[in-house]
Structure formats: C-alpha cells, structure tokens
Amino acid sequence: MLALALAKHFGVSLVPQATGNYSSTLTQVMTKQVDIGFAQAPFALDAVEDGRIRLVAKGADIPEVQNQTIRAWIAHANTFERRRDALARYVQAYRETLDWLYASPDAVKAYAAWSGLGERLARQAPDFITKDSIDPVRIIGLEDMMGDAVKFKYIPAPLTGEQLATLVQVPK
C-alpha cells in the first residue's frame, strides 16, 4: 500500500510486484529484475552512500502516511484480560526504552552493536525511523487505514465504534 501511496503522491504509475523481504528486494533491484524496490532504513544505507542505489522517496514524504500509525501490538483478548498487569508493565518498559534510545548518547553504540551496522550508519537511523513512528501506543489515522483496508479487501466494511473500542486498548 505504501508503494501505491507514493505513486499517487508523486504522480507516477507503477504496477506493484511482490519481491519478498528487504534483502531479496535489493537483489532484484540490483539485477534489474524490478525497477524500484522498498526497504526500511537503515537497511541498505551503505549502498545509498556508495552510490550503488539511490533513495527516491521515504514514507515520511507522503502526507497520508505521515500521520498514520505504522506499528501495532496485538494480544489475544483472553491474554489481555488475564495478564493486563504484565502487559501494562511491558508497555511502561517499552516507553522507557524508547525514550532512552532517542535521548542517550550510548544508544547509537548499542544500536550499532545490535544491528551490525557501523556507528556512522547507525547514527542515521533516527532520521529515517522517528520516535513517533515506532511508538505502537500512539494510534492515529485509523479512519484512513480502515478505508485502505476496505479498498484492498482486508475487511468488508469499516469497523464500528464498538469494534474499535474492543480492538484498541492501550494500557496507561
């Protein structure tokens, strides 16, 4: 759906084609099996830096996507009811970790070690992956997402208010 949103925003026509994960997509771009591919930074930033590929657009370039949740957590309803306290503690720990990742000078070193990237490329990650964009407790753009879900036949109709209240429950 992101590729279609990019094409619409920039006035480009394209035919989406399944290419697999980031690595297989990069292979298909490099071997000219497809003209353009997708990835999530910092994957392939070294290839951008070396001039082997070119970054043509980011999801954040599209107004429709800028204010849309892109991450979510899902728990079975029974688990949510039985383990509400544990899930609330998990959410709190996640928020603290996210705060640390985007504020501590040690975070770049930790991310570089975890991801296998050099520190220079790891330092660029927050430019591509903003804190708000990976905060799964920040739910925005649900109406637009439901419209897309209906359009692409993931759901038959938009969810009702009651269904949304059951679906979206974020521990405080």
Side-chain angles (χ1 to χ4, degrees):
M1 289 194 296
L2 182 58
L4 293 174
L6 275 166
K8 180 181 174 187
H9 179 72
F10 290 109
V12 176
S13 68
L14 59 80
V15 177
Q17 180 176 337
T19 55
N21 64 20
Y22 303 149
S23 183
S24 64
T25 299
L26 178 61
T27 298
Q28 290 176 59
V29 169
M30 298 304 288
T31 58
K32 300 182 181 179
Q33 296 173 56
V34 295
D35 295 324
I36 190 169
F38 75 100
Q40 180 174 337
F43 181 82
L45 282 180
D46 56 339
V48 172
E49 191 172 77
D50 296 346
R52 291 180 285 142
I53 61 174
R54 190 169 60 181
L55 177 67
V56 293
K58 300 183 292 185
D61 294 339
I62 309 166
E64 295 89 352
V65 176
Q66 290 171 353
N67 294 315
Q68 200 174 76
T69 296
I70 61 171
R71 298 282 190 278
W73 293 330
I74 299 171
H76 191 280
N78 290 338
T79 301
F80 190 78
E81 287 306 315
R82 278 191 343 267
R83 309 220 40 221
R84 187 178 293 266
D85 287 346
L87 293 171
R89 289 191 308 274
Y90 179 82
V91 169
Q92 181 59 35
Y94 185 90
R95 286 176 171 153
E96 290 171 12
T97 302
L98 201 56
D99 289 343
W100 177 81
L101 281 170
Y102 283 83
S104 173
D106 296 331
V108 170
K109 288 182 177 109
Y111 183 70
W114 172 79
S115 67
L117 292 170
E119 281 189 37
R120 186 176 41 72
L121 292 177
R123 196 175 321 285
Q124 295 177 44
D127 297 336
F128 293 94
I129 308 167
T130 64
K131 183 178 174 184
D132 281 347
S133 76
I134 61 171
D135 183 353
V137 298
R138 179 179 165 260
I139 309 286
I140 57 171
L142 215 44
E143 292 294 324
D144 291 336
M145 286 186 274
M146 280 193 296
D148 286 344
V150 171
K151 178 180 175 183
F152 294 107
K153 299 181 175 64
Y154 292 122
I155 58 176
L159 300 177
T160 65
E162 183 179 316
Q163 289 170 316
L164 284 174
T166 302
L167 177 68
V168 180
Q169 297 182 45
V170 179
K172 297 287 179 219

